[in-house]
Amino acid sequence: MLLLECGGLRGCESVSPLLPGCPKSCPANHFGFLKSGTMKVHYDDGTTATVNAGESYLIPPGHLPEVVGDVPCVMVEFSQSTAAVVDSMKK
């Protein structure tokens, strides 16, 4: 699955309203590769991680994404839970 997130995305304000039940953080597990951009991941426990273009990632449920800068984040996702969450956002 190929995902694109544009600059200015800040998880809670942008993603939560689209998810079923409007959770405060993403319920999906993400396993993938960041083709472009920089993404900061904010975890429910208060920690953060940064993923840069060219890096692979494994992000557990309980997080919010933030696109850093103006370069869109293009992600190649291999996780089925991501597909399920994206499908639920379309309904």
Side-chain angles (χ1 to χ4, degrees):
M1 168 179 291
L2 185 66
L3 299 174
L4 171 67
E5 293 185 1
C6 297
L9 173 73
R10 179 72 166 97
C12 191
E13 297 84 11
S14 303
V15 176
S16 294
L18 301 175
L19 297 172
C22 300
K24 293 185 187 244
S25 60
C26 181
N29 184 56
H30 297 274
F31 171 58
F33 176 79
L34 189 62
K35 288 182 68 172
S36 69
T38 299
M39 181 170 42
K40 189 171 189 177
V41 182
H42 300 267
Y43 294 100
D44 287 348
D45 67 3
T47 61
T48 62
T50 301
V51 182
N52 296 298
E55 295 179 344
S56 59
Y57 54 84
L58 177 59
I59 303 170
H63 64 274
L64 290 171
E66 176 184 4
V67 175
V68 178
D70 294 326
V71 177
C73 286
V74 176
M75 300 160 282
V76 178
E77 294 267 334
F78 305 107
S79 171
Q80 288 301 313
S81 67
T82 302
V85 169
V86 170
D87 283 346
S88 70
M89 292 169 73
K90 294 176 184 176
K91 296 176 183 176

